[in-house]
Amino acid sequence: MRSIGFLVFDGFQVMGMAALSVFEVANVIAGKPLYDIHILSKAGGPVRNSLGFSIDTAPMGDVFHDTTITTGSLTVKPAPPALLDYLRGAVTGSRRVAGICTGAFVLAEAGLLEGKRATTHWGHARSLAQRYPGVRMEEDRIFVQDGNIWTSAGMSAGIDLALALVEEDLGRDLARSVARAMVVYLRRPGGQSQFSTLLELEPKSDRVRKALTYARENLRNELSVEELADAARLSPRQFSRVFRLETGQSPAKAVEHLRLEAARAMMEEGRHPMEVIARETGFADRERMRRAFLRTYGQPPQVLRRAADNERIMGTA
């Protein structure tokens, strides 16, 4: 059984604890204890979180767990010295050390991110890079693995990091089962942008939002204006007008962005040939996908695929 040491301190951001549900659900699905979770603080006892209520903790002591995870706080502040000392020991005493959201600041303060690739919440990424110039900040990543050090973006990205840890430990099938049980739409690969196409479009009406959700879930379809309008229960003419008014772009351009986002995610996984990616994301063929990548990213998909492959190699080195 693998032990998880989850480090907290006064005022820690409570959303970070959502990552622990991944390990809890893994135990339930497996029908046996795969993970033993320990919530730790300097001296043990009750520790108040960002919402003002307390949770019981055990003292950190001098015992290290298989995986040590630290969360952060909504307002970045210096970490307790005892916590930093514990993390410095955990980098060799634990198999893996992770920082969720602004927990990356805690890892950086402990000196664990010097020369390492890392990420954090997009709203704090530049601050971390300025404060710790030795960190190789990748501010638009969901999570980053560099050796045995893992960091994640903010809020729900801690769940993605935890799912990746489960996948590394116990395989892709179990991680997917956990994601389904938690009603997580998709375990996002680490290299995926923190900003999703649906968030950037910011549709205001339920009808346009429904059409975009339909498009994302049916990328292999043609996704013509008529098909999307039918999903939104609007006439094609009315749908095109409302869609552009709410999102600032045409339905065709929005669909292309959704296809590109899905294609990049599949490339990050590294398991599919380009022909399969083009077919599954609705580009139909590699050439059409290549042109879309050049228009949007200024690079062909092969270049981005090689970068993703190199990132995985570096992460496991």
Side-chain angles (χ1 to χ4, degrees):
M1 183 165 55
R2 298 168 175 84
S3 62
I4 305 291
F6 190 81
L7 308 181
V8 300
F9 49 86
D10 189 57
F12 73 93
Q13 211 286 310
V14 70
M15 180 64 182
M17 295 194 71
L20 296 180
S21 295
V22 172
F23 306 110
E24 177 188 21
V25 173
N27 288 343
V28 172
I29 289 175
K32 59 182 179 181
L34 302 173
Y35 293 99
D36 185 21
I37 300 169
H38 303 263
I39 301 178
L40 310 172
S41 65
K42 175 185 175 181
V47 175
R48 288 172 63 85
N49 59 42
S50 57
L51 289 178
F53 62 87
S54 298
I55 64 166
D56 289 329
T57 67
M60 288 184 291
D62 55 4
V63 174
F64 297 108
H65 298 270
D66 175 75
T67 300
T68 297
I69 303 173
T70 184
T71 186
S73 53
L74 289 174
T75 302
V76 177
K77 55 187 178 182
L83 177 63
L84 299 177
D85 288 341
Y86 186 86
L87 284 167
R88 293 183 186 113
V91 76
T92 54
S94 295
R95 180 168 60 96
R96 300 176 297 207
V97 177
I100 293 175
C101 192
T102 56
F105 281 82
V106 181
L107 298 184
E109 190 177 354
L112 274 57
L113 297 185
E114 187 67 23
K116 296 281 190 181
R117 296 163 45 252
T119 193
T120 189
H121 189 289
W122 63 268
H124 296 281
R126 293 186 181 178
S127 173
L128 191 149
Q130 292 169 357
R131 192 177 303 185
Y132 302 101
V135 179
R136 296 161 56 193
M137 175 54 57
E138 299 190 5
E139 61 183 82
D140 193 28
R141 301 290 183 167
I142 295 294
F143 64 84
V144 171
Q145 177 194 4
D146 193 331
N148 73 329
I149 304 294
W150 299 63
T151 50
S152 83
M155 304 298 179
S156 64
I159 295 174
D160 297 287
L161 183 148
L163 286 166
L165 296 179
V166 170
E167 181 175 327
E168 182 181 67
D169 291 341
L170 300 161
R172 185 180 184 83
D173 289 344
L174 180 62
R176 284 195 169 200
S177 295
V178 172
R180 283 196 295 269
M182 293 181 66
V183 199
V184 176
Y185 173 69
L186 175 70
R187 200 277 285 171
R188 299 172 291 182
Q192 186 172 323
S193 172
Q194 293 188 32
F195 303 98
S196 73
T197 297
L198 291 184
L199 277 176
E200 290 177 352
L201 290 172
E202 294 184 318
K204 297 177 178 59
S205 69
D206 288 340
R207 288 187 173 186
V208 172
R209 196 175 299 116
K210 184 183 294 185
L212 284 168
T213 300
Y214 172 85
R216 186 178 63 179
E217 295 175 353
N218 295 276
L219 289 176
R220 293 188 66 174
N221 293 4
E222 181 183 349
L223 296 178
S224 63
V225 169
E226 290 75 16
E227 184 176 355
L228 295 175
D230 185 63
R233 299 294 187 267
L234 294 169
S235 70
R237 183 177 178 180
Q238 186 181 15
F239 173 75
S240 295
R241 181 181 61 79
V242 171
F243 191 95
R244 188 178 288 276
L245 185 65
E246 292 193 14
T247 68
Q249 59 185 261
S250 68
K253 180 58 66 176
V255 167
E256 181 173 274
H257 287 162
L258 288 170
R259 296 193 199 281
L260 286 166
E261 184 176 76
R264 287 197 68 170
M266 291 183 72
M267 289 176 195
E268 292 287 343
E269 293 179 348
R271 301 187 309 113
H272 308 284
M274 288 297 189
E275 292 82 2
V276 172
I277 294 174
R279 184 175 66 250
E280 292 297 316
T281 57
F283 283 112
D285 58 64
R286 291 182 58 170
E287 178 56 26
R288 184 179 170 191
M289 183 170 73
R290 188 186 72 85
R291 291 197 301 268
F293 269 76
L294 287 172
R295 278 195 301 272
T296 302
Y297 303 121
Q299 294 178 317
Q302 291 83 352
V303 172
L304 298 173
R305 178 66 170 268
R306 283 196 295 272
D309 291 342
N310 290 336
E311 180 177 318
R312 280 194 301 277
I313 292 170
M314 292 174 65
T316 56

